[in-house]
Amino acid sequence: MLSKLLTPLLLTSFSLTPVHASLTIAANLAVIEYTPMKIALEDFYPTPPNITIINGGVPNLFSANTTTLTDLASNAETQALRSYPSHRNLRTIYTISEVAYRLVTSSPSSLHPRLESLKGKRIGTIPATSAGYFVEALLDNAGVSPSSYTVVSGAHCLAAPCANDTLPAMLASGRVDAVALWEPTVELAARALRAANNNGTGVVFFQDEGVYREIYSLYSTAETLADPVKRGEVVRFVGALDRAVRVFEGEMERVVGRVARAVVPAVEEGLLRDVWGVHGWKGGLPADLLDVLVREDAYVARVEGRERLTRRELEALVDRSVLREVRGEDGEEEEEEER
């Protein structure tokens, strides 16, 4: 009789044990934007995390593109647009940071040049990236067509002294006339330019969030989100990430030292403080995300040599369901009201 009573009790206890899936996340460990994910795991994840962050990006979600297949990945929206035509199961589930990129160039101390002055100049960036699109969008908005300047490719830099093939070194030596990229490369380029000219030449930044902002997001696949166990872990992680992003927005001092060390290689803390404000730590999913994707796909399609995607085709790329689970059923409406 006792054994008959114990059996259902044991089964009931077993069924109530939460099931946690392991997750692997691909992120570019050399960018500041990924770091809220690391802080989320350290400070806010509800269980001992069975989650690994590796160096990579959106291509890691698809086995044909990489040897390391992951469940989640982070990248700027440009890389998502490059992958989506071949992988219609790609889903954007959470925006970690919105970054108002900057372009830096030199200026005589008595003058403040306009963007039109970059006609005929050499602009250092990394083509076919969010920075490449930023250059084109910023200059096009000023009436400067791509045919009237030259794009020169260079490498990013995280700490001075920057190597000879990096954009800061190229600007300081005069091999390019302007630099545009994600931070802290642009800030280091400005510092290198000042040092090269003994502070005799002014430095000017161009920045227009209304023309372009990087939308650095977390991505998954339709298959991962359809798996109940995997989805549960994704929702738990995004919940922790949402809390971490709020700390980045309002409590920089709590995390700035760890963030500086989390970037690979590490960023000097003073440099990180100087560029912290360039990053918008808003979280959620922007209300205008689909509009941004439609507009930017014109650039990506031309670079990739393909047809533009329609708005209807791009709609499936944005999945707000995980965010609604994290924030509640009315999470989408709240997000739109916040913006």
Side-chain angles (χ1 to χ4, degrees):
M1 180 67 179
L2 182 60
S3 62
K4 291 181 179 179
L5 290 172
L6 285 175
T7 300
L9 287 173
L10 290 171
L11 289 173
T12 301
S13 299
F14 180 79
S15 65
L16 292 176
T17 302
V19 178
H20 294 289
S22 61
L23 296 177
T24 304
I25 306 170
N28 183 349
L29 304 183
V31 301
I32 297 166
E33 291 92 323
Y34 102 89
T35 58
M37 294 193 291
K38 184 172 176 60
I39 300 301
L41 293 179
E42 292 177 356
D43 291 8
F44 299 111
Y45 206 68
T47 60
N50 191 17
I51 295 179
T52 304
I53 302 177
I54 67 167
N55 195 50
V58 164
N60 290 87
L61 294 171
F62 310 107
S63 58
N65 293 16
T66 179
T67 57
T68 306
L69 191 65
T70 64
D71 307 289
L72 299 170
S74 61
N75 256 136
E77 76 293 337
T78 315
Q79 300 310 311
L81 286 169
R82 295 183 69 183
S83 291
Y84 186 60
S86 302
H87 303 284
R88 296 301 179 97
N89 56 336
L90 180 63
R91 299 292 182 266
T92 315
I93 62 173
Y94 186 87
T95 293
I96 300 170
S97 183
E98 298 177 42
V99 187
Y101 280 4
R102 301 187 295 172
L103 180 149
V104 63
T105 188
S106 62
S107 168
S109 57
S110 60
L111 298 176
H112 190 292
R114 298 190 302 170
L115 282 167
E116 290 88 336
S117 66
L118 292 176
K119 287 182 178 179
K121 302 296 186 179
R122 299 156 300 173
I123 302 176
T125 189
I126 301 180
T129 66
S130 53
Y133 174 65
F134 163 64
V135 168
E136 184 168 312
L138 184 71
L139 292 176
D140 183 69
N141 189 61
V144 182
S145 67
S147 62
S148 63
Y149 56 88
T150 302
V151 171
V152 180
S153 184
H156 74 280
C157 179
L158 294 174
C162 296
N164 190 55
D165 64 341
T166 65
L167 293 169
M170 293 167 69
L171 183 63
S173 65
R175 284 173 285 161
V176 295
D177 304 294
V179 160
L181 204 70
W182 44 90
E183 301 294 345
T185 295
V186 173
E187 182 63 29
L188 287 168
R191 294 182 181 185
L193 186 59
R194 292 189 188 101
N197 292 285
N198 295 315
N199 293 317
T201 299
V203 170
V204 62
F205 293 98
F206 291 99
Q207 181 184 43
D208 191 337
E209 188 174 1
V211 171
Y212 178 76
R213 70 191 193 278
E214 176 199 33
I215 301 179
Y216 186 89
S217 299
L218 185 66
Y219 299 87
S220 190
T221 63
E223 292 78 10
T224 294
L225 298 179
D227 181 320
V229 177
K230 288 275 191 182
R231 184 184 181 91
E233 207 66 35
V234 169
V235 170
R236 278 187 284 272
F237 175 70
V238 172
L241 178 58
D242 199 37
R243 294 178 66 188
V245 167
R246 293 177 188 179
V247 171
F248 274 61
E249 181 182 29
E251 301 178 66
M252 179 190 74
E253 293 298 334
R254 179 174 165 183
V255 295
V256 64
R258 284 187 289 160
V259 170
R261 295 187 296 273
V263 180
V264 181
V267 174
E268 189 267 320
E269 187 175 319
L271 174 63
L272 178 60
R273 289 175 180 274
D274 285 346
V275 301
W276 192 273
V278 177
H279 301 76
W281 307 107
K282 300 178 181 179
L285 282 168
D288 66 341
L289 178 55
L290 183 57
D291 295 331
V292 170
L293 294 173
V294 171
R295 187 165 58 247
E296 189 169 338
D297 191 58
Y299 167 81
V300 176
R302 189 175 72 252
V303 169
E304 298 283 293
R306 61 165 172 81
E307 294 295 319
R308 290 183 63 177
L309 297 170
T310 66
R311 186 180 185 88
R312 181 175 292 275
E313 287 175 308
L314 286 166
E315 284 177 353
L317 178 55
V318 182
D319 187 331
R320 298 181 181 272
S321 65
V322 171
L323 184 61
R324 286 199 295 269
E325 286 189 51
V326 168
R327 294 186 175 179
E329 285 299 318
D330 58 348
E332 182 174 356
E333 288 75 19
E334 289 178 0
E335 175 67 18
E336 293 186 1
E337 289 175 4
E338 288 174 4
R339 297 177 186 279

